[in-house]
């Protein structure tokens, strides 16, 4: 038997999360599907909507975004007008119905859309099995890096936050830490297949944006004009002369690009190599967009 | 298909829902989905389940005035919010938007139509005069397999003060 | 006069000569100039209020007292042998009332299945459970924990071809000597085209609620053909048809995939028979995408020969089909009929694969064939330097060359001209000039042929009550095509009544008024003449009564706008002046579709033009406009008809751009059998669509002059888009859909 709770303070949420087998529910747009497909089976579900983590507020020269702020809110927030890439990424993710409940924290922590990982017919390497079926099967929409898992990272927000030099605040019952968004992610290995660095008792409470870039943009190509995951999603920001680029859809975690050699370390897999062309195009367009 | 096991039944709790202005109380697994509760427990079958994975929009309801996919929403999470379904929107007769859907022929099989109406209602409440581009954006989470999109767009624009 | 006549009927190109009972209604088809008050005028849907308010009850909404819920256990492998099922464990789950496995003795007969101990495709049903709740039924399915020994499979067309795994015989149809004609041709073109498997993806999945009562089996079924469903249930369960009632008030889309009773109705009925309780079986989305059906993928080769000035001298079409419908071969039919050509051959092979067998999906086979043929014609235009539309005009076929018969009507040339005019076709090359946004633009066209003449048997009744309101009953369900609305318009026209004084009922076999399956674009041309006949019978009786009441000659009286008038204007009385005298009685009439005219073929035709914009940097293809002109005879309801065309075009567009069932090559299992991964278009993907209809009723075909419309608009869209892509980029992608990978490869 498992339980469900809706704590009204962060402290209560963290205490509940300290129990083994518990799991945070925010908008539920990802976790519901994971539960339905047997990819998550929490013993306690902690709905954090009442935990007071939904505010977007000024923070020095930047902005602090609560982890349960919805994508719809982020997309139109007046406080975020100078973070163009972030707003564009939030507006491009999923669909309006989902953006009305899907949260910033949930978007960053969502699982890959790899059809072998999600499909009930397979138990793939990432899901604890022996085989990355994508590598020997259908991987036209997958990542550009070879490896144990060639899934494609699905979050539009992650690259937009990474290029904005954002950090995440991660809390547990035992403390709080702050780290760059990129450090949320790790490459899975045989012993730990997780793509996230969050401990089981940890939750993202805030995303902190420092001073805004001088210009930024989020460019993405999906399978259709709306309501699809990014085949390639590229965020570009410029701070003075410094150009930062990060992409979703090209590796199993968000990928920081070398602006002078965007395809570096992204050789492509046989069926997904076409994404290299798209990434190079978007990088060139993104560079133009932020330097005009 | 072998659907892997879910983590066992959840302890039933008392959940109070406010649906179309009426209070409903259940002893229920709080992870049950709002769409199923609306349909099976309250009998509000105007809310449809097309895919069960948030990918079609047929299950759209208004949650505090915003359109959401009720097939993904745990009923425990929906508690305490104001829920409006297609039946609630239609309670005092057809709305101008619904009349516009009929006049424009913005429906064929009609199965997705309640979700379309709900999503469009949410849009028009937030933005009474949306542009054509805003309508297309806002409706992009509601799939119509019959392909009524040109007529749906036209119906919504006919209800807006927007310039198109 | 009632008589039995021998007539040729057709359904999706399958011709059958049969005896049908017809009652001669003495009606003459409305002429093109006829001044009609309702027919031909845009009219909102009869069931609009129910559908927009959530009041419409679909099969998935039916809830009966004591109803059980059924869930299906499906094969996770493409081919295997089930060696064990934990039936006792499933039965032990609280609330489980029945478990069906391949070993169960069923109360009905079916040649193969319906439950498989050697599944031949991923998603094949292995077992079914009925329980008090859906959750319990699903839990019991998990508890069945099948042990499956995997067996070899083939899911790839090439391999199946090499292994000659044919389903049935190769189908070949030819006239003349195509090889000799090709050898002698001044210009030759050869094109190999692959088309994708496409899933119908109705938003309401396949569903049935069955209730086996002591004296009657009642089935609510999400079906396109309730009488076919009734016949199937009666036959399988060995029941008299009158003891089976099928109710299909509303259906959430079918697109060809919901014909007959289907697995779900047969199984729900069996479960109800066993448990004595009503049973609801609704496919979940994964089940729907795996087992709801599909348009099979094809690989086609088209070879054309022509004179230097573009006159076709040879057409050779070959098609390999990825396990399509049994005995249904029409991929190469367009090659045999669309253009005038003496030396023609079509040959197709249906390959047996460990995949879910294809079923009907809007314009089955013909859409696949047109998609290849019309791209080859485009190549011929390029080869000969002719305007693609001019090439088509030169090769116009004014009769069905396969049958050697004239058409009842054919406005294809009008369609070419009208589509060209609407799209600005003569200036199409200006789109190829360098564009400020860096995109490559182009325009392409494609033509369409389909049957869609309908035929008997199809019946209707009409009853006029004392209140002056007419109730029409038809034997068809309205799957969203607007059939009931059209029936109301036709009856109101014939009765001279305002629309709101005519009601129409369908969706129930209980009145025993037969109507055909909603397939093959046959509903309107079959049902509407029957409706008109029934209404005419009532009108005649009414006028006879009016003659008595007003002491006038019935032949001098007419009905219009709810009134009975004399031709000389001396008499002008409301309907109710006569009907009020009926008391509890009513004026009843019945009507039926008459025979098809001897010595003709009835077909629909059309042309579509597409404009696309290709981003050479990302491989994205966006359709910027579709202009469609179709010949469907008389358009009963231009409002609903334009909706049908728009919907068909969007499904055709998706076939060209995004929709494709993807099969995992290593396990043979479809990887995108969800709506999350199988992307159908959204409003954001929808281009401007302009629709025109040829203004010529088909007065030879039937008494309303209408041909069908369900299929025609989906047929040419993908080819038009592929040709526009060719115009824009100078390249042709060998396979559809035009994914970014394929586009980037083609233009590299």
């Amino acid at each position: 038997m498992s339980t469900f709770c809706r704590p009204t303070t962060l402290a209560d949420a963290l205490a509940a999360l300290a129990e083994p087998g518990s799991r945070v529910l925010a908008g539920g747009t990802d976790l519901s599907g994971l539960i339905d497909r047997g990819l998550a089976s929490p013993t306690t579900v902690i709905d954090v909507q009442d935990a007071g983590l939904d505010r977007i507020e000024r923070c020095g020269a930047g902005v602090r975004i609560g982890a349960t702020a919805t994508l719809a809110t982020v997309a139109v927030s007046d406080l975020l007008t100078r973070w163009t890439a972030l707003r564009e990424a939030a507006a491009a993710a999923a669909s309006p119905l989902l953006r009305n409940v899907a949260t910033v924290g949930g978007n960053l922590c969502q699982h890959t859309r790899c059809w072998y990982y999600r499909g009930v017919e397979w138990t793939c390497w990432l899901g604890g099995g022996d085989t990355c079926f994508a590598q020997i099967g259908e991987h036209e929409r997958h990542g550009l890096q070879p490896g144990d898992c060639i899934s494609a990272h699905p979050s539009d927000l992650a690259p937009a936050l990474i290029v904005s030099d954002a950090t995440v605040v991660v809390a547990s019952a035992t403390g709080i830490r702050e780290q760059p968004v990129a450090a949320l992610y790790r490459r899975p290995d045989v012993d730990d297949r997780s793509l996230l660095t969050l401990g089981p008792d940890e939750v993202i409470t805030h995303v902190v944006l420092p001073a805004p870039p001088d210009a930024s943009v989020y460019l993405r190509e999906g399978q259709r004009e709306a309501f699809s995951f990014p085949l390639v999603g590229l965020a570009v920001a410029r701070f003075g002369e410094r150009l930062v680029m990060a992409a979703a859809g090209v590796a199993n975690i968000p990928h920081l690009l070398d602006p002078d050699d965007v395809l570096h370390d992204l050789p492509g897999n046989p069926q997904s190599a076409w994404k290299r062309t798209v990434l190079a195009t978007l990088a060139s367009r993104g560079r133009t967009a932020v330097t005009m | 298909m072998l659907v892997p096991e879910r983590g066992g039944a959840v302890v039933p709790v008392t959940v109070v829902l406010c649906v179309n202005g009426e209070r409903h109380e259940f002893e229920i697994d709080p992870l049950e989905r709002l769409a199923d509760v609306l349909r099976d427990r309250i009998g509000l079958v105007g809310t449809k389940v097309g895919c069960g994975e948030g990918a079609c929009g047929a299950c759209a309801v208004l949650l505090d005035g915003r359109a959401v996919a009720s097939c993904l929403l745990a009923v425990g999470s929906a508690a305490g919010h104001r829920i409006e379904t297609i039946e609630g929107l239609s309670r005092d007769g057809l709305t101008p938007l619904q009349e516009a859907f009929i006049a424009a022929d913005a429906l064929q099989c009609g199965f997705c139509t309640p979700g379309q109406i709900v999503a469009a209602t949410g849009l028009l409440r937030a933005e009474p005069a949306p542009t054509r581009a805003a309508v297309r954006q806002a409706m992009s989470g509601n799939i119509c397999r019959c392909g009524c999109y040109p007529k749906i767009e036209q119906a919504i624009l006919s209800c807006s003060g927007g310039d198109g | 006069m009632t008589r039995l006549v021998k007539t040729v009927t057709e359904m999706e190109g399958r011709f059958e000569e049969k005896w049908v009972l017809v009652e001669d209604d003495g009606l003459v088809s409305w002429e093109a100039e006829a001044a009609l008050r309702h027919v031909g005028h845009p009219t909102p849907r009869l069931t609009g209020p129910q559908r927009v308010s959530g009041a419409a009850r679909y099969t998935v909404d039916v809830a009966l007292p004591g109803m059980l819920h059924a869930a299906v256990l499906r094969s996770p492998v493409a081919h295997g042998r089930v060696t064990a099922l934990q039936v006792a464990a499933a039965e032990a789950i609280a609330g489980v009332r029945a478990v069906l496995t391949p070993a169960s003795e069923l109360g009905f007969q079916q040649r193969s299945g319906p439950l498989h101990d050697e599944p031949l495709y991923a998603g094949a049903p292995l077992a079914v459970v009925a329980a008090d709740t859906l959750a319990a039924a699903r839990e019991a399915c998990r508890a069945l924990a099948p042990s499956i020994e995997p067996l070899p499979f083939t899911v790839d067309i090439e391999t199946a071809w090499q292994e000659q795994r044919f389903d049935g015989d190769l189908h070949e149809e030819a006239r003349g000597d195509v090889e000799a004609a090709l050898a002698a041709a001044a210009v030759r073109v050869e094109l190999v085209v692959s088309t994708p498997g496409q899933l119908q993806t109705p938003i309401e999945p396949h569903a049935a609620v069955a209730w086996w009562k002591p004296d009657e089996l009642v089935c609510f079924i999400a079906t396109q053909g309730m009488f076919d469903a009734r016949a199937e249930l009666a036959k399988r369960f060995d029941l008299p048809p009158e003891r089976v009632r099928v109710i299909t008030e509303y259906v959430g889309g079918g697109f060809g995939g919901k014909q007959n009773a289907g697995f779900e109705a047969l199984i729900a009925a069996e479960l109800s028979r066993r448990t004595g309780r009503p049973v609801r079986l609704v496919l979940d989305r994964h089940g729907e995408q795996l087992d709801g059906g599909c348009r099979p993928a094809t690989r086609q080769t088209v070879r054309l020969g022509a004179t230097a000035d573009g006159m076709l001298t040879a057409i050779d079409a070959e098609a390999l089909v990825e396990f399509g419908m049994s005995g249904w071969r029409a991929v190469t039919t367009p090659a045999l009929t669309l253009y005038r050509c003496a030396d023609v051959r079509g040959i197709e092979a249906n390959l047996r694969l460990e995949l879910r067998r294809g079923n009907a999906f809007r314009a089955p086979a013909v859409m696949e064939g047109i998609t290849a043929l019309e791209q080859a014609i485009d190549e011929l235009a390029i080869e000969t330097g002719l305007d693609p539309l001019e090439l088509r005009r030169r090769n116009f076929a004014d009769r069905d060359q396969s049958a050697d018969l004239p058409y009842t009507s054919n406005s294809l040339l009008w369609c070419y001209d009208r589509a060209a005019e609407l799209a600005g076709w003569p200036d199409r090359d200006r789109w190829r000039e360098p564009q400020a946004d860096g995109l490559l633009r182009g325009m392409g066209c494609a033509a369409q042929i389909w049957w869609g003449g309908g035929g008997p048997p199809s019946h209707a009744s009409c009853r006029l009550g004392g209140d002056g309101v007419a109730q029409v009953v038809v034997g068809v369900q309205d799957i969203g095509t607007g059939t009931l609305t059209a029936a109301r318009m036709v009856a109101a026209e014939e009765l001279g009544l305002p629309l709101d004084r005519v009601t129409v009922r369908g969706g129930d076999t209980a009145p025993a008024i037969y109507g055909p399956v909603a397939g093959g674009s046959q509903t309107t041309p079959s049902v509407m003449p029957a409706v008109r006949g029934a209404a005419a019978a009532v009108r005649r009786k009414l006028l006879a009564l009016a003659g008595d009441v007003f002491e006038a000659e019935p032949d001098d009286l007419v009905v219009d706008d709810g009134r009975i008038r004399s031709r000389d204007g001396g008499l002008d009385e409301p309907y109710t002046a006569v009907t009020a005298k009926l008391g509890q009685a009513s004026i009843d009439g019945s009507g039926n579709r008459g025979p098809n005219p001897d010595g003709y073929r009835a077909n629909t035709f059309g042309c579509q033009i597409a404009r696309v914009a290709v981003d050479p940097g990302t491989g994205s293809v966006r359709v910027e406009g579709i202009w469609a002109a179709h010949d469907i005879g008389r358009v009963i309801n231009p409002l609903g008809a334009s909706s049908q065309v728009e919907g068909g075009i969007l499904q055709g567009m998706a076939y060209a751009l995004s929709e494709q069932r993807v099969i995992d090559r290593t396990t043979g299992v479809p990887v995108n059998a969800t709506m999350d991964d199988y992307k159908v278009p959204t409003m954001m993907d929808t281009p401007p669509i302009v629709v025109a209809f040829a203004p010529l009723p088909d007065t030879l075909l039937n008494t309303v002059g209408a041909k069908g419309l369900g299929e025609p608009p989906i047929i040419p869209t993908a080819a038009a888009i592929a040709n526009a892509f060719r115009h824009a980029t100078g390249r042709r992608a060998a396979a559809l859909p035009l994914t970014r990978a394929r586009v980037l490869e083609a233009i590299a």
Side-chain angles (χ1 to χ4, degrees):
Chain A
M1 281 300 224
S2 58
T3 55
F4 177 90
C5 61
R6 258 171 75 167
T8 52
T9 66
L10 177 59
D12 286 351
L14 295 175
L17 193 53
E19 296 298 321
S22 57
R23 186 125 185 188
V24 168
L25 169 80
T29 54
D30 195 35
L31 186 61
S32 292
L34 296 176
I35 289 174
D36 289 346
R37 295 173 196 219
L39 290 166
S41 41
T43 52
T44 299
V45 172
I46 306 159
D47 180 342
V48 293
Q49 64 174 301
D50 303 327
L53 297 174
D54 60 346
R55 281 185 294 280
I56 302 176
E57 55 206 356
R58 267 181 229 291
C59 176
V63 171
R64 195 170 76 137
I65 304 172
T68 65
T70 64
L71 301 186
T73 317
V74 169
V76 299
S77 170
D78 289 339
L79 294 180
L80 295 170
T81 47
R82 296 182 65 193
W83 285 270
T84 310
L86 176 60
R87 283 170 46 124
E88 288 175 342
S95 84
L97 301 178
L98 302 182
R99 292 197 292 268
N100 276 336
V101 291
T103 65
V104 170
N107 186 273
L108 292 174
C109 295
Q110 67 185 303
H111 288 212
T112 176
R113 309 306 300 185
C114 173
W115 41 37
Y116 296 100
Y117 177 73
R118 300 229 165 205
V120 294
E121 294 90 347
W122 302 272
T123 300
C124 77
W125 183 88
L126 188 65
D130 302 323
T131 309
C132 174
F133 289 96
Q135 299 190 21
I136 54 172
E138 312 311 311
H139 60 260
E140 186 177 310
R141 302 174 198 165
H142 284 67
L144 290 167
Q145 289 181 323
D148 294 325
C149 163
I150 64 166
S151 70
H153 179 74
S155 168
D156 288 296
L157 255 52
L161 289 171
I162 288 171
V163 301
S164 308
D165 288 343
T167 55
V168 286
V169 181
V170 173
S172 71
T174 56
I176 289 179
R177 61 193 176 90
E178 189 166 342
Q179 64 182 20
V181 170
L184 256 184
Y185 303 97
R186 65 183 290 279
R187 295 200 186 285
D189 55 45
V190 172
D191 300 320
D192 181 357
R193 311 283 166 98
S194 175
L195 291 159
L196 293 170
T197 56
L198 285 181
D201 60 340
E202 289 185 317
V203 64
I204 299 174
T205 61
H206 297 89
V207 170
V208 180
L209 292 162
D214 295 310
S216 70
V217 69
Y218 185 67
L219 303 172
R220 60 115 80 182
E221 291 290 320
Q223 227 185 308
R224 56 186 173 195
E225 295 289 324
F227 201 0
S228 60
F229 286 88
L231 292 167
V232 178
L234 176 76
V236 183
R238 182 178 58 79
F239 298 84
E241 294 297 301
R242 183 169 68 98
L243 218 51
V244 195
M245 294 185 179
V250 300
N252 55 19
I253 59 175
H255 190 75
L256 197 63
L257 308 176
D258 175 353
D260 296 321
D261 184 9
V262 293
L263 298 177
H264 175 73
D265 204 21
L266 296 172
N269 285 296
Q271 298 159 31
S272 65
W274 63 273
K275 285 188 175 182
R276 285 165 52 87
T277 308
V278 176
L279 185 61
T281 298
L282 296 186
S284 153
R285 290 177 187 170
R287 177 188 290 267
T288 306
V290 299
T291 50
M292 275 201 308
Chain B
M1 192 56 41
L2 259 188
V3 177
E5 201 165 344
R6 189 166 130 180
V10 172
V11 179
V13 297
T14 302
V15 169
V16 178
L17 291 183
C18 171
V19 183
N20 302 328
E22 287 171 23
R23 188 177 182 280
H24 297 266
E25 189 173 321
F26 309 96
E27 284 298 308
I28 196 170
D29 168 355
L31 287 183
E32 260 198 51
R33 303 305 154 75
L34 178 61
D36 296 334
V37 174
L38 292 172
R39 289 177 54 80
D40 301 339
R41 300 246 192 169
I42 311 182
L44 296 173
V45 295
T47 300
K48 307 300 183 196
V49 175
C51 69
E53 53 188 1
C56 79
C59 66
V61 300
L62 295 177
L63 192 77
D64 299 332
R66 294 164 302 138
V68 305
S70 65
C71 75
L72 291 179
L73 192 63
V75 68
S77 301
H81 297 278
R82 193 161 45 84
I83 298 159
E84 289 171 274
T85 69
I86 186 68
E87 290 88 352
L89 300 182
S90 315
R91 198 161 35 189
D92 302 320
L94 298 183
T95 63
L97 179 68
Q98 287 168 316
E99 299 280 11
F101 263 62
I102 296 171
D105 203 41
L107 61 144
Q108 291 182 42
C109 83
F111 196 77
C112 73
T113 309
Q116 305 277 359
I117 300 269
V118 165
T121 301
L123 166 69
L124 291 173
R125 281 190 193 166
E127 204 177 337
T131 61
R132 184 179 298 274
V135 169
R136 288 166 69 86
Q137 258 297 340
M139 298 304 293
S140 62
N142 291 79
I143 301 296
C144 173
R145 185 54 161 164
C146 297
C148 302
Y149 300 126
K151 304 277 170 67
I152 295 172
E153 184 184 303
Q154 184 189 329
I156 297 170
L157 283 172
S158 77
C159 288
S160 93
D163 55 7
Chain C
M1 189 177 67
T2 304
R3 60 202 170 101
L4 269 173
V5 297
K6 202 168 199 181
T7 189
V8 175
T9 64
E10 169 274 320
M11 159 69 174
E12 295 183 343
R14 276 161 288 199
F15 290 89
E16 199 183 341
E17 196 178 44
K18 61 182 176 189
W19 289 96
V20 293
L21 185 73
V22 295
E23 198 171 353
D24 193 357
D25 56 23
L27 294 170
V28 177
S29 193
W30 289 313
E31 290 300 327
E33 319 63 57
L36 302 178
R37 193 182 274 273
H38 304 295
V39 169
H41 299 277
T43 305
R45 253 159 234 271
L46 176 64
T47 52
Q50 289 82 358
R51 294 188 203 241
V52 298
S53 64
R57 288 290 173 269
Y58 295 78
T59 302
V60 296
D61 302 328
V62 172
L64 299 173
M67 184 175 77
L68 303 178
H69 300 262
V72 184
L73 177 72
R74 297 184 180 279
S75 172
V77 301
H79 187 197
R81 187 173 295 112
V82 179
T83 54
L85 284 171
Q86 306 308 317
V87 177
E91 286 172 341
I93 306 275
V96 169
R97 304 284 171 170
V99 178
L100 295 183
T101 71
S104 304
E105 283 284 329
L106 299 179
F108 67 92
Q109 290 129 33
Q110 193 169 316
R111 197 153 42 94
S112 74
L115 302 173
H116 304 271
D117 48 18
E118 187 182 325
L120 290 167
Y121 61 95
L126 307 179
V128 183
V129 177
D132 292 347
T133 64
L134 187 56
R138 286 183 176 157
E139 195 185 343
C141 281
R142 283 193 294 270
L144 282 167
S147 309
I148 301 175
E149 174 194 330
L151 295 171
F153 61 86
T154 301
V155 291
D156 151 62
I157 274 190
E158 290 301 328
T159 311
W161 169 245
Q162 280 154 22
E163 294 174 0
Q164 305 273 293
R165 292 172 47 133
F166 299 130
D167 176 64
D169 294 332
L170 261 66
H171 172 83
E172 183 171 10
E173 188 179 341
R175 58 177 181 266
D177 183 345
V178 77
E179 290 299 343
L182 276 170
V187 183
R188 278 187 292 271
V189 161
E190 176 171 341
L191 189 67
V192 179
V193 171
S194 290
T195 64
Q198 187 183 24
L199 304 174
Q200 290 92 345
T201 320
I203 309 296
E204 182 190 31
H206 283 71
V209 179
W211 192 2
W212 193 288
K213 296 179 177 180
D215 54 349
E216 189 183 35
L217 169 61
V218 179
C219 276
F220 300 81
I221 311 176
T223 180
Q224 299 171 229
M226 55 184 195
F227 272 95
D228 286 357
R230 183 179 82 152
E232 187 184 355
L233 286 164
K235 184 177 163 202
R236 298 257 185 260
F237 284 101
D238 198 19
L239 292 168
E242 61 275 16
R243 283 188 52 202
V244 180
R245 179 180 180 191
V246 174
I247 302 173
T248 307
E249 206 178 353
Y250 292 95
V251 188
F255 317 115
K258 288 179 179 167
Q259 301 195 14
N260 301 355
F263 168 87
E264 54 284 350
L266 288 167
I267 291 291
E270 171 65 10
L271 289 167
S272 182
R273 189 184 69 81
R274 286 173 173 244
T275 60
R277 308 258 296 262
V279 175
R280 180 158 88 191
L281 173 51
V282 179
L283 300 198
D284 61 20
R285 181 49 59 182
H286 194 44
E288 176 66 35
Q289 300 304 91
L290 284 172
D291 204 20
C294 70
R295 180 193 306 283
T298 69
R299 205 200 64 190
Q300 302 175 55
T301 305
V302 180
R303 294 187 297 163
L304 303 176
T307 63
D309 57 356
M311 302 305 292
L312 281 163
T313 56
I315 304 174
D316 185 30
E318 298 173 1
L320 302 182
V321 181
E322 182 189 89
F323 205 26
M325 275 182 279
S326 183
W328 169 232
R329 307 285 175 266
V331 177
T332 57
T333 299
L336 290 149
T337 54
L338 184 54
Y339 297 106
R340 189 176 58 234
C341 188
D343 297 288
V344 181
R345 185 181 70 140
I347 182 162
E348 50 193 290
N350 198 25
L351 296 166
R352 191 168 46 76
L353 298 157
E354 273 74 35
L355 292 174
R356 204 291 189 183
R357 190 193 274 276
N359 58 3
F361 184 168
R362 208 168 188 170
V366 168
M367 180 194 183
E368 294 91 296
I370 284 283
T371 301
L373 174 70
E374 285 296 89
Q375 291 192 65
I377 293 288
D378 200 56
E379 286 300 316
L380 182 64
I382 293 161
E383 202 64 32
T384 55
L386 284 167
D387 175 300
L389 276 179
E390 174 56 23
L391 176 74
R392 286 171 170 83
R393 285 190 194 99
R394 286 185 189 183
N395 290 287
F396 173 72
D398 63 355
R399 58 196 281 118
D400 181 328
Q401 300 155 95
S402 283
D404 194 25
L405 290 172
Y407 293 116
T408 52
S409 62
N410 181 345
S411 298
L412 181 56
L413 292 172
W414 182 93
C415 294
Y416 289 147
D417 293 346
R418 186 69 181 136
E421 184 185 339
L422 292 170
W425 177 262
D427 295 331
R428 72 187 195 114
D429 280 337
R430 85 183 160 86
W431 293 106
R432 302 179 78 181
E433 290 160 13
Q435 309 274 310
D437 56 13
L439 302 181
L440 307 173
R441 287 189 168 79
M443 263 191 181
C445 70
Q448 160 258 318
I449 185 170
W450 177 259
W451 302 277
S458 181
H459 297 265
S461 79
C462 181
R463 165 169 290 183
L464 183 65
D467 55 0
V469 172
Q471 185 179 74
V472 174
V473 179
V474 291
V476 290
Q477 60 296 309
D478 191 333
I479 64 168
T481 50
T483 300
L484 301 186
T485 310
R488 180 191 224 184
M489 296 168 71
V490 167
E493 192 71 55
E494 189 63 29
L495 288 165
L497 281 174
L499 286 175
D500 61 10
R501 299 261 298 276
V502 178
T503 64
V504 183
R505 281 187 49 213
D508 189 347
T509 61
I513 291 171
Y514 176 83
V517 61
S521 305
Q522 66 174 338
T523 303
T524 293
S526 300
V527 174
M528 298 312 146
V531 170
R532 189 183 170 205
V538 168
R539 173 177 51 80
R540 288 192 191 105
K541 288 181 188 172
L542 174 77
L543 292 181
L545 293 182
D548 293 341
V549 172
F550 303 124
E551 295 178 352
E553 268 304 310
D555 285 351
D556 291 339
L557 301 177
V558 293
V559 289
D560 182 40
D561 200 22
R563 303 185 71 81
I564 297 162
R565 295 182 176 132
S566 60
R567 291 181 199 276
D568 63 9
L571 177 77
D572 186 352
E573 294 286 341
Y575 245 63
T576 45
V578 175
T579 58
K581 300 188 193 312
L582 291 169
Q584 302 281 337
S586 59
I587 301 174
D588 293 343
S590 64
N592 60 264
R593 168 68 149 86
N596 280 326
D598 279 336
Y600 289 93
R601 280 286 187 260
N603 285 70
T604 55
F605 304 91
C607 173
Q608 290 179 8
I609 292 172
R611 196 179 87 214
V612 304
V614 181
D615 185 335
T618 64
S620 90
V621 180
R622 183 164 174 80
V623 177
E624 297 191 320
I626 301 269
W627 295 267
H630 289 273
D631 166 18
I632 57 162
R634 181 187 304 285
V635 180
I636 305 280
N637 183 1
L639 183 62
S642 63
S643 300
Q644 277 268 325
V645 174
E646 288 157 2
I649 285 171
L650 289 173
Q651 290 176 350
M653 181 188 83
Y655 184 67
L657 297 187
S658 63
E659 287 186 31
Q660 176 175 30
R661 178 176 70 173
V662 180
I663 314 286
D664 175 47
R665 66 197 69 185
T666 61
T667 59
V669 178
V671 285
N672 60 345
T674 64
M675 284 190 70
D676 222 19
D677 281 321
Y678 187 89
K679 300 283 193 210
V680 305
T682 72
M683 190 182 282
M684 289 281 282
D685 299 278
T686 303
I689 297 171
V690 178
V691 181
F693 295 110
L696 196 66
D698 191 331
T699 53
L700 269 178
L701 179 63
N702 59 49
T703 59
V704 300
K707 300 189 272 191
L709 178 59
E711 263 91 1
I714 198 177
I715 296 173
T717 313
I721 290 170
N723 292 341
F725 177 81
R726 171 73 170 84
H727 187 235
T729 64
R731 308 292 176 84
R732 191 172 294 282
L736 296 180
L738 294 168
T739 60
R740 283 169 171 70
R742 289 190 179 127
V743 168
L744 291 172
E745 188 187 345
I747 65 178

